[in-house]
Amino acid sequence: MPAMLAAQFTGLPLSQSPAPQPSFRVGLRSSPAVRARSLAPRAAASTAAVSAIPEAAAAPQVADRTVVRIGLPSKGRMAEQTLSLLKSCQLSVRQLNPRQYTADIPLIPNLEVWFQRPKDIVRKLQSGDLDLGIVGFDIVSEYGKGNEDLVVVHDALEFGHCRLSLAVPREGIFENINTLEDLLNMPEWTEERPLRVVTGFGYLGDKFLREKGFKHVRFLSADGALESYPPMGMADAIVDLVSSGTTLRENNLKEIEGGIVVESQATLVASRKSLHKRKGVLEITHELLERLEAHLRATAELMVTANMRGNSAEEVAERVLSQTSLCGLQGPTISPVYCRRDGKVDVEYYAINVVVPQKLLYKSIQQLRSVGGSGVLVTKLTYIFDEETPRWRNLLSELGL
């Protein structure tokens, strides 16, 4: 567990804070074809949020260079998984010196890689120093603060899964507190004695509790070992990232129903201004999106091949299509298997090729067998390219192109 940073009270109770901020949607949709979207308009910084970047520093400069820049996480598991995903898409990152912050991707000559802390990726996208970035949606939401210049191009890169969640102690006055409504209705929270929440996500935490109707809350700002604050009597609750929940349980804390602030995973984010104004950004974004989408789709599917006796391809097709798990992308591919019999070329078997979801593999094999399939082969897929990825169409629509 990282060393605990010095914490200090920030802001006033919510009842004395500035007017509520404009809301924006922070939850990720579960569908893999979620539309690319920008975060909603910038909101005024809350009393508990991390300090905003000065306006002069935040003004994007999009015409001062020709090379396109992408920010990637510099350390930790997120960095390893990002490089692994890019390598799987034939986009290996070449870093000549591990101490350097810059690298390149040989297959995309005009793309310059910069290794940065996740929160700095978001900040530099806003300032115009980066054009693209791969970063968790929780970080985009916290440090983007609703900046409409940030566009989430791909919201489901299938790694870095976590949730930003509110948790309270299991015992004491919270023993019977199991829902967010229970917490809201506790009589203990007053203007003189507000609910004390420790978090490293002041913007999202403040916004979430405001929207849920909390009026008497005070935030503590900290980045590490948040689980120690409630047992030490320094806070009543925490808002922190949770993966399995093991650390919470081991420190006698519990998540409560309705207390998830945001669901998160790795995303591909772009600067709207760069997409519009910097030469090459839109084209490189298209290539990245195509490669990522094709690979991620393929990892969830398998190619199944089997032989089946039949009098014609149409007869075999009728049997295969009678099974719900054997419809493939558009349908099964069926072709004759030629053999020599009594000196003549004959067809007795037909080969069936069908793409099936990994989770339905065994069911698909059972269904193939039930209609006469045999000699079943299973092959992993690397890419599945559509005519055009839906996320690209959505991005063009988002940009008005």
Side-chain angles (χ1 to χ4, degrees):
M1 187 68 64
M4 181 175 67
L5 299 182
Q8 61 181 14
F9 281 104
T10 60
L12 298 170
L14 291 187
S15 58
Q16 300 178 18
S17 299
Q21 305 156 350
S23 63
F24 74 92
R25 186 175 183 85
V26 296
L28 286 176
R29 305 178 195 173
S30 57
S31 169
V34 177
R35 296 186 60 174
R37 62 193 184 277
S38 66
L39 302 178
R42 178 188 292 269
S46 74
T47 57
V50 178
S51 298
I53 303 171
E55 288 300 320
Q61 304 294 323
V62 298
D64 55 348
R65 55 182 164 82
T66 57
V67 67
V68 178
R69 291 176 177 171
I70 184 170
L72 303 182
S74 57
K75 294 181 180 179
R77 190 174 181 188
M78 192 82 166
E80 295 172 1
Q81 291 176 312
T82 299
L83 295 178
S84 176
L85 174 61
L86 292 174
K87 184 176 181 180
S88 298
C89 298
Q90 307 299 314
L91 295 174
S92 294
V93 176
R94 181 177 61 185
Q95 187 180 20
L96 300 180
N97 185 336
R99 295 191 177 187
Q100 289 181 333
Y101 291 109
T102 58
D104 65 357
I105 297 177
L107 285 184
I108 308 181
N110 196 42
L111 183 62
E112 187 176 78
V113 174
W114 283 80
F115 292 105
Q116 301 283 293
R117 295 184 303 174
K119 62 184 178 182
D120 288 336
I121 291 175
V122 177
R123 288 168 174 165
K124 290 178 181 179
L125 281 168
Q126 295 176 87
S127 69
D129 295 302
L130 291 174
D131 306 304
L132 298 160
I134 293 180
V135 68
F137 186 64
D138 57 304
I139 302 298
V140 177
S141 303
E142 173 66 21
Y143 293 94
K145 294 183 173 66
N147 190 332
E148 63 182 1
D149 185 55
L150 296 176
V151 181
V152 179
V153 178
H154 197 303
D155 64 347
L157 296 182
E158 300 298 339
F159 67 92
H161 292 274
C162 62
R163 59 190 179 274
L164 183 63
S165 191
L166 186 146
V168 298
R170 291 181 174 275
E171 301 170 351
I173 62 173
F174 298 100
E175 183 176 0
N176 297 316
I177 302 301
N178 298 307
T179 69
L180 194 66
E181 185 177 1
D182 292 339
L183 184 65
L184 174 62
N185 293 329
M186 289 179 70
E188 283 82 355
W189 319 132
T190 65
E191 186 173 337
E192 294 74 25
R193 173 57 172 94
L195 173 69
R196 298 167 302 162
V197 181
V198 61
T199 185
F201 291 81
Y203 173 77
L204 289 178
D206 176 71
K207 181 178 181 298
F208 175 77
L209 291 178
R210 282 180 183 279
E211 292 177 349
K212 297 301 181 180
F214 285 80
K215 295 181 179 179
H216 305 299
V217 179
R218 182 166 290 168
F219 284 89
L220 285 158
S221 177
D223 292 326
L226 303 190
E227 295 83 2
S228 67
Y229 279 65
M232 294 177 70
M234 299 174 65
D236 302 302
I238 72 172
V239 172
D240 200 10
L241 294 176
V242 179
S243 295
S244 65
T246 301
T247 303
L248 289 179
R249 291 190 293 272
E250 290 180 348
N251 287 277
N252 206 29
L253 299 173
K254 62 183 179 182
E255 293 179 86
I256 58 176
E257 182 182 340
I260 296 178
V261 179
V262 61
E263 296 275 3
S264 181
Q265 61 178 297
T267 62
L268 175 64
V269 188
S271 160
R272 184 187 300 270
K273 289 185 176 66
S274 290
L275 288 167
H276 276 298
K277 297 182 179 181
R278 193 183 303 287
K279 182 179 179 181
V281 175
L282 193 62
E283 292 76 11
I284 287 175
T285 301
H286 188 196
E287 180 173 349
L288 288 173
L289 190 55
E290 288 260 66
R291 287 176 178 269
L292 290 167
E293 192 90 326
H295 174 67
L296 291 171
R297 185 178 181 191
T299 57
E301 309 283 345
L302 294 168
M303 174 68 77
V304 174
T305 303
N307 289 332
M308 188 179 297
R309 289 180 183 271
N311 297 318
S312 68
E314 289 75 14
E315 178 208 325
V316 172
E318 285 285 350
R319 280 189 277 160
V320 172
L321 290 172
S322 69
Q323 305 301 309
T324 57
S325 297
L326 303 177
C327 295
L329 298 178
Q330 281 81 35
T333 300
I334 298 173
S335 54
V337 177
Y338 295 96
C339 63
R340 187 173 294 279
R341 193 179 302 279
D342 298 328
K344 296 181 179 179
V345 174
D346 194 13
V347 174
E348 185 177 352
Y349 283 89
Y350 288 84
I352 300 101
N353 290 286
V354 61
V355 174
V356 303
Q358 286 199 33
K359 61 184 179 181
L360 297 178
L361 175 61
Y362 187 64
K363 181 179 179 181
S364 300
I365 291 174
Q366 287 179 310
Q367 290 186 353
L368 269 174
R369 287 171 173 168
S370 72
V371 294
S374 61
V376 180
L377 304 177
V378 179
T379 308
K380 288 184 177 181
L381 299 173
T382 304
Y383 301 103
I384 298 177
F385 284 97
D386 283 321
E387 291 183 24
E388 184 178 75
T389 170
R391 281 189 170 89
W392 175 245
R393 293 196 297 270
N394 294 336
L395 177 61
L396 293 181
S397 176
E398 174 74 27
L399 298 174
L401 301 176

